[in-house]
Amino acid sequence: LFNGLVPQDGSLLDDISEALALLLQTNKISGTIEHTLLAKPGSDDQVMQFRVIGPTLTIGSLAYTDALAQNSPKLADRQLDIVGKPFSRFAIEMFISEQVRPIYLQSGHLQAKFSAPEPRFTGDPNQPLPSQVAVTLPIDAGPAYKLKEVTWNGNKVINAAPLNALLTIKPGDLVDGMALAAVWQRVEREYARRGYVDATIDPQPQYSDADSAVAFHVAINEGPQYRMGKLIITGLSL
């Protein structure tokens, strides 16, 4: 009856652990199973991670299929964050989310795709399997996009001119996805500064692969304006 979802606690988690422990025994692998609730890399979702405690399998090397990652000095400096560490798909996904993906966003590759890591054992196939694996990260960089335009919808309190002044990327520039994310945050802060603390920004990209350009239509939900009420401070002595 397992459908890929589990509760945070309860007997189902024990059932899954027992099934995985039986799988280890069937394959003559010594070890025990433990589970931990973790935040999913690059998402607000949570995942229940089951992992084996026992045999140590480490990452011996990390390679990329795309030249941008291969030639990145920053990724070369961060290799030790993952190489030499215990093999874990979750750890690799976290590395992609925190280290690899930003490299592509900063270079305008807003639709770069990262496939599942490909681990393989190294060494003589006639000998017992080694304790290390070589991991390859398949990457489809896609085009590097230039900014076509940014239009604003739903903004009544702040007109387009002050919002455009917050943009650090101009039409025709290569889109730095990380810098653009900071722009959306600055827009939200500008609304919050005026009392619209519930304002939300929804940038909707429209890609044109013909000329490698992207236009952003930003939907703004300003929400109500809040004014200062009572300030109550507790926990202080008289």
Side-chain angles (χ1 to χ4, degrees):
L1 299 179
F2 180 59
N3 65 354
L5 300 174
V6 296
Q8 291 191 17
D9 48 37
S11 61
L12 180 59
L13 300 179
D14 296 331
D15 293 342
I16 295 174
S17 295
E18 291 174 3
L20 293 174
L22 181 59
L23 182 64
L24 293 180
Q25 295 174 14
T26 302
N27 289 275
K28 298 180 180 181
I29 300 174
S30 62
T32 58
I33 304 294
E34 73 170 21
H35 54 78
T36 310
L37 186 64
L38 300 170
K40 186 177 181 180
S43 169
D44 294 330
D45 296 335
Q46 290 184 309
V47 295
M48 187 68 70
Q49 180 196 65
F50 290 82
R51 64 192 187 100
V52 181
I53 305 300
T56 301
L57 184 65
T58 60
I59 299 174
S61 64
L62 182 64
Y64 311 94
T65 61
D66 183 69
L68 179 60
Q70 293 170 355
N71 299 323
S72 169
K74 181 178 180 180
L75 289 182
D77 291 340
R78 306 297 307 202
Q79 284 282 90
L80 293 182
D81 291 354
I82 196 82
V83 174
K85 301 295 192 299
F87 174 78
S88 164
R89 287 184 299 176
F90 183 86
I92 295 172
E93 290 173 3
M94 185 70 73
F95 183 79
I96 293 173
S97 176
E98 295 182 350
Q99 304 297 338
V100 184
R101 186 179 297 274
I103 297 293
Y104 283 83
L105 291 179
Q106 290 171 344
S107 303
H109 298 278
L110 305 183
Q111 291 192 301
K113 294 179 175 60
F114 303 89
S115 300
E118 298 176 352
R120 63 180 178 85
F121 291 106
T122 58
D124 186 348
N126 298 317
Q127 299 297 322
L129 292 178
S131 59
Q132 289 190 331
V133 292
V135 177
T136 301
L137 299 183
I139 302 173
D140 179 6
Y145 290 96
K146 294 183 178 180
L147 181 64
K148 184 176 181 180
E149 63 176 354
V150 176
T151 57
W152 312 90
N153 301 303
N155 54 309
K156 299 178 181 178
V157 176
I158 306 177
N159 60 37
L163 294 176
N164 289 332
L166 297 175
L167 292 171
T168 56
I169 304 173
K170 305 304 179 185
D173 290 349
L174 196 66
V175 178
D176 181 337
M178 301 298 290
L180 201 56
V183 169
W184 311 140
Q185 292 177 351
R186 282 196 292 273
V187 172
E188 289 183 339
R189 287 199 298 267
E190 183 62 23
Y191 270 99
R193 188 178 67 82
R194 299 171 184 235
Y196 294 86
V197 295
D198 289 338
T200 58
I201 311 299
D202 182 19
Q204 301 166 355
Q206 292 188 347
Y207 297 98
S208 173
D209 289 340
D211 54 357
S212 299
V214 57
F216 286 90
H217 300 293
V218 185
I220 299 176
N221 182 6
E222 295 178 331
Q225 184 185 47
Y226 291 91
R227 296 183 178 275
M228 185 64 185
K230 292 181 179 180
L231 174 64
I232 301 173
I233 301 175
T234 61
L236 299 179
S237 66
L238 294 178

